[in-house]
Amino acid sequence: MRAVDLFAGAGGTSTGATMAGAQVVAAVNHWRTAVATHTAAHPEARHYCEDAAVLDPTTLPAHDLLLASPSCTGHTRARGVERPHHDAARATAWCVLRVAEAHRPSAVVVENVPEMLAWVCYRGWRLALTDLGYRISEQVLDAADVGVPQHRRRLFVVATRGRRPLSIAPGTAPHAAARSVVDLDAPDALWRPWRRLAPASVARIEAARSRFGDTCMVAYYGSDTGRSIDAPLGTITTHDRHMVVRGDVARMLSVAELLAAQGFPADYPLTGTRAERVMQVGNSVAPPMAAWVVRQVIAGAA
């Protein structure tokens, strides 16, 4: 299948689609740093550093599979108080329809947070896909179920042209532990005494240690109350969030560890500052999850 990756970011979906046997012929993203990363990782694709909302979809090459991860910031529970920019973020989903209408690919796969299902315009958006001749399935899948060492629940809307919707089966792989990607003996790791952190962080670490032992995983912010290092991480976000605690010291996970926890190859060519690289990883679809979905789409189209 020839695939176009809309809202391609650093290339998690493209990497997974390639693993599944698809040929990514084009990628679209508005952030120059992410496009630089995607170009380094997928030089064979044509790259569009453009806002998908104003992109002329007829300039995209012909393709069989449209992959899209519209902005999730308008849907996610972490968005806080409702603001006008959330409407703009949610509206990026309509870009999928513009491309689908112009090219009528055999299949469309849209990834987002599960809260997208509660979007007031979701029913109309879904109906528009059916008006274009697609059968729709919706499934919430966890990346941990395909062997990614991270719990990452995401909605996958799959639109195909068959007589029936194509449902994606959930993964059945054993869950991988955070320990598999966290290097406790990394020579350049910056460990610090955690008792010097803010009181809220100290309290969170003490609570996690009482449950999971002296070596454990703790979220620096958010509602996560800590995890065993022998269980998958919580969801990786666009900001430094995950700490590993070892005795009296703690440190944030490195970019390499975050990359591995998303299921990227170790040599993936991330570009930009540390903060930009963390953002690219957190914004990505876990490649093994994308591969899991795309393999079933390809099989269903055969």
Side-chain angles (χ1 to χ4, degrees):
M1 273 191 165
R2 287 166 56 88
V4 164
D5 192 352
L6 198 61
F7 311 102
T13 300
S14 293
T15 300
T18 302
M19 291 163 56
Q23 178 190 4
V24 178
V25 296
V28 181
N29 202 80
H30 69 285
W31 186 21
R32 191 171 300 279
T33 300
V35 172
T37 293
H38 198 289
T39 301
H42 299 277
E44 71 286 351
R46 181 175 175 182
H47 289 85
Y48 297 74
C49 188
E50 295 187 47
D51 184 342
V54 297
L55 171 75
D56 178 356
T58 64
T59 64
L60 293 169
H63 54 281
D64 316 293
L65 173 61
L66 176 60
L67 304 165
S69 295
S71 176
C72 67
T73 56
H75 301 293
T76 178
R77 288 172 293 176
R79 69 180 183 272
V81 177
E82 192 71 14
R83 299 182 188 280
H85 70 263
H86 294 142
D87 288 330
R90 286 187 286 252
T92 58
W94 297 106
C95 301
V96 178
L97 296 171
R98 293 176 61 244
V99 178
E101 182 182 15
H103 288 272
R104 307 298 174 98
S106 301
V108 179
V109 176
V110 177
E111 180 267 357
N112 213 289
V113 292
E115 292 84 359
M116 183 183 184
L117 292 171
W119 177 31
V120 67
C121 292
Y122 179 78
R123 182 180 175 188
W125 177 85
R126 187 186 191 281
L127 181 61
L129 272 175
T130 64
D131 287 344
L132 290 175
Y134 292 99
R135 304 288 184 269
I136 313 296
S137 72
E138 300 146 332
Q139 39 269 308
V140 176
L141 306 173
D142 188 345
D145 294 335
V146 298
V148 176
Q150 172 197 176
H151 283 296
R152 192 178 189 87
R153 295 178 71 253
R154 290 294 184 264
L155 168 68
F156 287 87
V157 179
V158 178
T160 51
R161 294 191 170 280
R163 293 184 178 179
R164 297 180 184 139
L166 174 64
S167 295
I168 304 299
T172 58
H175 286 184
R179 189 185 294 276
S180 66
V181 296
V182 175
D183 186 356
L184 293 173
D185 299 314
D188 56 347
L190 186 60
W191 296 91
R192 297 175 185 241
W194 54 263
R195 288 184 176 85
R196 298 179 186 174
L197 297 174
S201 297
V202 171
R204 189 177 287 117
I205 291 172
E206 288 176 337
R209 291 176 79 232
S210 69
R211 295 179 62 196
F212 305 114
D214 287 349
T215 301
C216 60
M217 304 304 304
V218 179
Y220 188 66
Y221 62 87
S223 58
D224 195 318
T225 56
R227 296 171 185 264
S228 168
I229 197 170
D230 293 310
L233 287 168
T235 302
I236 292 171
T237 65
T238 57
H239 301 283
D240 275 318
R241 180 175 183 238
H242 295 284
M243 286 190 295
V244 55
V245 176
R246 189 179 192 185
D248 294 326
V249 293
R251 65 171 176 84
M252 306 305 295
L253 294 190
S254 68
V255 174
E257 289 167 331
L258 294 173
L259 198 66
Q262 278 281 56
F264 278 92
D267 60 350
Y268 200 76
L270 282 176
T271 63
T273 65
R274 175 188 164 83
E276 290 170 336
R277 286 179 286 146
V278 170
M279 181 171 286
Q280 290 175 77
V281 174
N283 266 334
S284 295
V285 176
M289 186 79 262
W292 178 263
V293 173
V294 172
R295 280 194 193 100
Q296 295 184 59
V297 171
I298 291 175

